[in-house]
Amino acid sequence: ADRRKATDSELALLDRHLSGIDAELAEEEERRRALELAEAHEQAVSTQRETQEGLVAQLRRNRALIETMTEGVALHRIVRDAAGTPVDYVVTNANPAYEAHTGIRPADAVGRRASELYGTGQPPYLDVFARVATTGAPKRIDLFFEPMGRHFRVLVVSPAPGEFATVFEDVTAAKELERALRESNAALVARNEELDAFAHTVAHDLKNPVSAVIGFAEHLAPGPEALPEEERREVLDALLRSARKMQEIIDALLLVGESRAAVPLAPVPLAPLVEECLRAFGHEARRLGAEVRLAGPWPTPLGYAPWVERVLANYLSNALKYGGRPPRIEVGAEALDGLRVRVWVRDDGRGLSPGERERLFVPFTRLSRELADGHGLGLSIVRRLVERMGGEVGVESAGRPGDGS
């Protein structure tokens, strides 16, 4: 019994000792876990600190990059109404190049709504910008911004929901160069087409008088005495007419080249030019029994006198060719504004149909083979000369015989 009591006492003592060991082990485990948690927290704090420092460094690098970019950069925030519909956007930041491209200082732009900032009443291109800010899908657009009168190439991206950034550059000079190149190419194409038509027309029209000269010369080859006097006279008259026709075509060719040159403009007294043209056509006017009425007084337009004279001569020539029989012609002028003058030549011929009026000043176009021959150059050259002097050409006709043009 005594031995059992002693054993129970030893067991109790051992039990208490083991319990103490368990408690110490639990405390040690708790301290270890606490230490691990502390180390993990410290590592997390350190990692977060490094991440924040990296982000700050990255932001600084990005800011430095944006600040030195030659393209304009602006950040914006979409403004929505109570229903969540985009109604405007606000500039939240902009780089220095923003001012170079828009003429607006960043300090004057930040915090302002686009509808107010750009003076348009409505936020420009809101639908495009709101779509990018909502979907996050970037967009490239080329646009002409009318309030500034400039062309821009714009990249739109969304750095965060409800926000968008624009990276843009002024491409107005490039657009103007493209337009100039297109116009130049179009002019070259038109010039080539004109030269083709020109060569065809001139070759065709020179062929007739040249063939006539050859034919009449062959007719005279046996000797003038082989022909009766009357026939010989007819052949010589025909030769002269063919030679004059070739001379007219050559003069027109020279004038085409002359019309490409730059000339000085100066006040042009019309009265002496009209008188000179009438003297030049005096023989033809008398032959046709033409009546020419001058509707003065004569103002003084700004132009180039040799070209003005050629224009008047062409109009008078057409009036004699296409006027009535005998022709009744009126020549007049009236001041319009400043140094601009309207000059007209009116005839009493058959007039022109709407289709003929449309083709009247088109190069190498003949409107009448029945009344007179032509080489299709006259009025197209007139148009070129007048436009080179800053003026316009035109025609008025009811298209009724006797009312003329």
Side-chain angles (χ1 to χ4, degrees):
D2 291 338
R3 190 177 300 116
R4 186 180 298 112
K5 288 181 181 179
T7 301
D8 290 342
S9 177
E10 290 173 358
L11 288 173
L13 180 61
L14 179 61
D15 212 24
R16 286 195 298 274
H17 181 69
L18 291 174
S19 296
I21 292 174
D22 287 340
E24 289 177 1
L25 289 174
E27 289 177 2
E28 181 66 24
E29 179 66 19
E30 188 174 343
R31 285 195 297 270
R32 186 182 64 77
R33 287 180 180 179
L35 182 60
E36 288 178 353
L37 288 174
E39 290 177 352
H41 178 70
E42 185 178 351
Q43 181 66 32
V45 170
S46 176
T47 301
Q48 185 178 10
R49 187 182 301 113
E50 290 176 358
T51 301
Q52 289 176 344
E53 290 175 354
L55 288 173
V56 170
Q58 183 65 38
L59 287 173
R60 286 174 178 169
R61 287 194 296 271
N62 290 344
R63 181 182 294 274
L65 176 63
I66 292 173
E67 293 292 320
T68 57
M69 286 175 63
T70 57
E71 294 87 352
V73 180
L75 303 178
H76 311 80
R77 174 175 50 80
I78 294 292
V79 177
R80 301 178 184 273
D81 61 13
T85 304
V87 294
D88 212 328
Y89 53 91
V90 175
V91 178
T92 59
N93 205 349
N95 72 340
Y98 175 89
E99 180 178 1
H101 290 292
T102 65
I104 303 172
R105 295 191 313 156
D108 296 332
V110 172
R112 295 179 65 185
R113 292 194 174 202
S115 55
E116 171 198 359
L117 176 62
Y118 300 115
T120 55
Q122 297 293 328
Y125 309 102
L126 175 62
D127 56 337
V128 176
F129 298 153
R131 190 180 308 115
V132 173
T134 302
T135 65
K139 179 76 173 177
R140 289 184 181 272
I141 54 174
D142 282 357
L143 56 88
F144 176 72
F145 195 42
E146 190 169 350
M148 296 181 182
R150 298 178 183 178
H151 293 269
F152 291 99
R153 182 163 294 145
V154 187
L155 169 63
V156 191
V157 297
S158 177
E163 298 180 3
F164 69 93
T166 52
V167 182
F168 59 93
E169 59 179 332
D170 186 344
V171 293
T172 303
K175 291 291 184 180
E176 290 178 349
L177 179 59
E178 289 176 7
R179 178 182 55 80
L181 287 174
R182 285 196 302 269
E183 293 176 353
S184 177
N185 288 337
L188 286 174
V189 170
R191 180 69 57 83
N192 288 337
E193 292 176 351
E194 180 180 331
L195 288 174
D196 288 343
F198 181 88
H200 175 78
T201 301
V202 171
H204 180 272
D205 287 339
L206 277 175
K207 181 179 180 180
N208 292 334
V210 168
S211 298
V213 168
I214 293 173
F216 292 131
E218 291 174 347
H219 198 55
L220 291 172
E225 64 281 354
L227 299 176
E229 178 66 23
E230 184 177 352
E231 186 176 352
R232 187 166 61 247
R233 190 179 300 111
E234 290 177 357
V235 170
L236 290 174
D237 288 342
L239 280 171
L240 286 173
R241 285 196 302 272
S242 296
R244 291 193 184 102
K245 185 63 177 178
M246 288 188 287
Q247 183 64 51
E248 289 177 7
I249 296 174
I250 292 170
D251 289 342
L253 294 176
L254 294 174
L255 189 55
V256 168
E258 181 184 334
S259 67
R260 302 182 190 275
V263 294
L265 302 183
V268 178
L270 284 177
L273 291 185
V274 173
E275 293 174 2
E276 178 61 29
C277 287
L278 290 177
R279 280 195 296 269
F281 289 100
H283 174 75
E284 184 68 8
R286 288 190 295 272
R287 185 183 71 82
L288 295 172
E291 175 188 340
V292 180
R293 189 177 79 87
L294 302 180
W298 301 99
T300 302
L302 187 67
Y304 180 59
W307 286 4
V308 175
E309 183 177 354
R310 288 181 180 273
V311 170
L312 285 171
N314 186 283
Y315 282 174
L316 281 170
S317 174
N318 284 337
L320 290 170
K321 289 178 181 179
Y322 302 108
R325 291 295 179 263
R328 293 192 301 277
I329 301 170
E330 180 183 85
V331 183
E334 60 180 343
L336 297 179
D337 52 64
L339 295 176
R340 289 172 58 87
V341 170
R342 180 174 182 263
V343 182
W344 72 85
V345 176
R346 179 179 293 118
D347 63 54
D348 62 338
R350 66 174 182 84
L352 297 171
S353 68
E356 289 174 327
R357 290 199 297 273
E358 290 180 0
R359 295 184 292 119
L360 186 62
F361 293 97
V362 175
F364 321 117
T365 300
R366 298 184 188 87
L367 301 183
S368 175
R369 291 187 178 273
E370 295 82 9
L371 297 179
D373 293 327
H375 43 72
L377 297 173
L379 288 175
S380 67
I381 297 177
V382 162
R383 178 179 181 177
R384 180 179 295 175
L385 296 180
V386 172
E387 289 179 350
R388 289 296 302 275
M389 292 186 289
E392 301 173 358
V393 294
V395 59
E396 297 175 2
S397 179
R400 293 189 297 266
D403 287 349
S405 304

